[in-house]
Amino acid sequence: MLGVCYYPEHWPEAWWAKDARRMRELGISFVRIGEFAWSRLEPKRGAFDFGWLDRAMDTLGAAGLKVVLGTPTATPPKWLMDEYPEIAPVDQQGRARGFGSRRHYTFSSEVWWRESARIVEIIAKRYGEHPALDGWQTDNEYGCHDTTQSWGPEDLKAFRRWLRLRYQSTEQLNDAWGNVFWSMEVNSFEDVVLPHLTVTETNPAARLDFWRFQSEQVAAYDKMQCDIIRKHSPGRWITHNFMGFVNDFDHWKVGENLDIASWDSYPIGFVEKFPFSQEEKNRWAETSHPDIAPFHHDLYRGVGRGRFWIMEQQPGPVNWAPWNPVPKPGMVRLWTWEALAHGAEVVSYFRWRQAPFAQEQMHAGLNLPGSDELSVGGREAEIVGREIIETGELPATEQAPVAIVYDYETHWATVIQPQGRDFQYHDLAFRWYEAVRKLGLNVDFVPPGASLDGYKLVLVPSLMMVSDAALQAFSAAQGILLYGPRSGSRTRQFAIPDNLPPGPLAALTGARLTQVSSLRPGIEDAVAGTVSGAAIRWREYVETDGEVLARFGNGDPALTGKGGHHYLACWPDQSLLQQTLTYLAAKAGLETVVLPDHIRLRRRGGVTFAFNYGTEVWSSPAVGKVILGEVNVKPQTVVAWRE
Ligand code: GAL
């Protein structure tokens, strides 16, 4: 099904009915509205204007559209910020972040919680049972514009409260953080300061706790909104729209509050945001890299416990990346089908019509600025609208054979203590995902500690802190497992484990680490054996009582195996990674293919999709009934067949 993001408050009321009718004609069933409309709903404290939203909901509903209503908390209005300046977030340099864009609040402010609860309750009561209302979106893109963490007095107050609950006494806090080092000990929780603005680096244990605290606040704030909505809007579902490559808070935790996860897919914008090489950035500039959107589809399907939407789909060039090229013709259609192939229930485009004013005037919509003329992306959406009807219902998405354990704390820990400048967790996880997808395999993402039942191959690109639950899940797993560098290398308190890394994983893997070396760009350490290639960026010195499957140049173990548990003691280059995953997939009994760089497959029940991101026609192995596209897949097109 298709959807669209719409801002009735941006257009004359006389246009609404026609817009709604044209949406239906395009094959659109869902429309998301309201998420930034606070200043129009409550122009002054307590002076509400619901008339326009009542009429907008009625008009959209009358056209047969189902409404997704956003709570407007991403944009607190000016009068509220003037009344309570302490709501404003503070950056890491200690400067208040001002009014005039969005997301200008800190999750730590008690006043902000009260004000959020107030507006959410008023809106949930008024619209919770509106016949056009299908579901809710809480806030908008938590964490966007670096807003998970704030560094002001409100945050300090809340952090001290959080620490007191967690540690009970300063002795325990001092001990947990290792505060004896550099005389950092505190005598009271009031002595604790935020870990910033110091002469040199701050204590990593303090930073990790500060990050955990802020992440927990995001989940609790979201839950507060969800609880209010559920009370006043029975039978409606709730989602939040997550982002691409934002790891600042634990998405698994926020997901627990929701009925459905959703995410905002800007595949081309993300090429700029990801640490690709210049060559890769240029190669994928107008199509996106073939794994960027799928990586997030699979991640958020996991976060939504099987259910996800695309709440915002890029419809053409965006405005916010350093460069914003026009997507190659066909890509808007391809991305839409790709999301559906990965199990998305709805793909909703951002936005209905390009705004000729304000910050996003360079951002495409399905219609040209201020007009009723479809853009290139709008015409592609129209084609998908027809194709969805022609292809009929798709089979349900099944459990994938491969699981990737994805962990937000590992991201935080490696940002706090990179040890090598280019050790970036999301880069590592993405490369593992890319390599396994090149083998034509479906992938699920799971949180650490989730059951691994039914997975033939389990990939743990890195898991720095291994909880009891995670250890139990690994011990119980039946498949083949691969743990990557730095796994088990820190305790929960950010210390080196007594038995040395991989700490809790020592018994399962048989490995014991004595040294790590980070490698400058251009320096590598060759690896040879059952698999070969090289270590780049990061190399560990490991002893093992297991089998050595590949060795570094000096004879040290690089890849080890003990039963089903394998340990990779480096950041692998492309060749080592591809060979390792191919070898382990075979060991796991999985049938694989070797796909060209620009082709990806995705199976949904008995239907297989193939996507061509490249410049040449690819002859697919389609058998059975082709339900979409052509067997010879042209560039920027898709084929799907039912076996
Ligand atoms: C998203 C956001 C939208 C809009 C869009 C532009 O991050 O949720 O409101 O700003 O980006 O690409």
Side-chain angles (χ1 to χ4, degrees), residues 36 102 140-141 241 264 266 312 318 320 350 360 363:
F36 300 124
R102 60 178 172 183
N140 191 78
E141 292 191 339
N241 56 335
D264 297 343
Y266 294 93
E312 301 180 11
V318 301
W320 43 261
F350 183 91
E360 293 181 348
H363 193 297

Side-chain angles (χ1 to χ4, degrees), residues 49-113:
D49 179 4
F50 290 118
W52 70 271
L53 187 54
D54 295 352
R55 294 191 299 280
M57 298 265 295
D58 293 346
T59 306
L60 297 166
L65 290 157
K66 297 179 195 172
V67 172
V68 180
L69 190 57
T71 63
T73 45
T75 46
K78 182 70 166 65
W79 59 260
L80 180 55
M81 300 309 290
D82 289 345
E83 229 176 283
Y84 296 110
E86 68 266 39
I87 291 174
V90 175
D91 73 10
Q92 205 168 344
Q93 299 311 313
R95 297 168 304 207
R97 302 179 77 180
F99 179 81
S101 66
R102 60 178 172 183
R103 298 215 56 73
H104 39 278
Y105 68 78
T106 169
F107 289 97
S108 302
S109 158
E110 284 176 51
V111 173
W112 172 243
W113 276 56

Side-chain angles (χ1 to χ4, degrees), residues 141-156:
E141 292 191 339
Y142 295 133
C144 188
H145 319 301
D146 199 10
T147 52
T148 297
Q149 301 198 354
S150 165
W151 304 80
E154 294 292 301
D155 305 288
L156 177 57

Side-chain angles (χ1 to χ4, degrees), residues 3-327:
V4 75
C5 303
Y6 185 53
Y7 299 91
E9 70 275 25
H10 293 183
W11 313 110
E13 191 164 336
W15 295 14
W16 298 352
K18 185 182 49 176
D19 281 345
R21 195 190 66 235
R22 290 184 59 236
M23 288 175 195
R24 293 299 290 147
E25 284 164 11
L26 223 63
I28 287 171
S29 311
F30 290 89
V31 56
R32 184 198 64 179
I33 60 172
E35 80 278 13
F36 300 124
W38 197 333
S39 72
R40 283 293 168 98
L41 290 169
E42 190 183 16
K44 291 188 187 133
R45 171 168 299 280
F48 293 97
D49 179 4
F50 290 118
W52 70 271
L53 187 54
D54 295 352
R55 294 191 299 280
M57 298 265 295
D58 293 346
T59 306
L60 297 166
L65 290 157
K66 297 179 195 172
V67 172
V68 180
L69 190 57
T71 63
T73 45
T75 46
K78 182 70 166 65
W79 59 260
L80 180 55
M81 300 309 290
D82 289 345
E83 229 176 283
Y84 296 110
E86 68 266 39
I87 291 174
V90 175
D91 73 10
Q92 205 168 344
Q93 299 311 313
R95 297 168 304 207
R97 302 179 77 180
F99 179 81
S101 66
R102 60 178 172 183
R103 298 215 56 73
H104 39 278
Y105 68 78
T106 169
F107 289 97
S108 302
S109 158
E110 284 176 51
V111 173
W112 172 243
W113 276 56
R114 199 183 70 213
E115 286 298 316
S116 300
R118 184 182 66 84
I119 192 73
V120 171
E121 175 141 52
I122 286 167
I123 292 174
K125 270 187 177 159
R126 185 166 188 100
Y127 297 105
E129 302 197 74
H130 191 287
L133 181 78
D134 209 61
W136 293 88
Q137 172 187 299
T138 51
D139 202 283
N140 191 78
E141 292 191 339
Y142 295 133
C144 188
H145 319 301
D146 199 10
T147 52
T148 297
Q149 301 198 354
S150 165
W151 304 80
E154 294 292 301
D155 305 288
L156 177 57
K157 231 181 354 189
F159 186 42
R160 286 175 178 163
R161 224 173 18 235
W162 186 88
L163 289 173
R164 202 174 268 127
L165 276 175
R166 191 182 182 94
Y167 292 105
Q168 311 287 326
S169 72
T170 48
E171 288 73 30
Q172 297 206 51
L173 174 76
N174 285 326
D175 187 48
W177 284 5
N179 276 346
V180 60
F181 194 78
W182 287 353
S183 278
M184 293 182 294
E185 282 159 312
V186 293
N187 297 320
S188 125
F189 283 98
E190 295 305 305
D191 289 348
V192 173
V193 291
L194 294 182
H196 70 148
L197 301 176
T198 46
V199 171
T200 183
E201 74 181 278
T202 49
N203 187 340
R207 279 187 71 189
L208 182 61
D209 266 352
F210 184 62
W211 215 322
R212 284 179 176 138
F213 146 75
Q214 295 280 23
S215 172
E216 282 179 22
Q217 289 200 135
V218 177
Y221 176 82
D222 183 72
K223 180 164 186 306
M224 173 270 285
Q225 293 209 6
C226 291
D227 289 347
I228 295 170
I229 292 169
R230 290 217 164 87
K231 200 159 111 205
H232 300 293
S233 193
R236 264 66 171 197
W237 50 264
I238 307 176
T239 191
H240 173 75
N241 56 335
F242 296 105
M243 304 177 69
F245 298 128
V246 165
N247 293 295
D248 281 350
F249 63 91
D250 189 331
H251 291 43
W252 299 113
K253 290 278 155 50
V254 175
E256 286 170 11
N257 303 333
L258 309 172
D259 302 294
I260 307 174
S262 63
W263 82 284
D264 297 343
S265 179
Y266 294 93
I268 286 190
F270 296 146
V271 170
E272 289 292 341
K273 273 180 70 175
F274 191 78
F276 286 123
S277 66
Q278 278 311 318
E279 191 197 330
E280 285 176 301
K281 279 195 204 276
N282 288 351
R283 175 165 183 199
W284 306 116
E286 294 166 332
T287 58
S288 183
H289 181 291
D291 293 307
I292 284 191
F295 176 93
H296 293 94
H297 298 330
D298 289 338
L299 174 62
Y300 291 123
R301 198 181 54 252
V303 169
R305 297 178 304 284
R307 297 193 64 188
F308 84 106
W309 282 34
I310 307 302
M311 192 55 86
E312 301 180 11
Q313 171 63 57
Q314 176 166 2
V318 301
N319 63 302
W320 43 261
W323 286 273
N324 299 289
V326 169

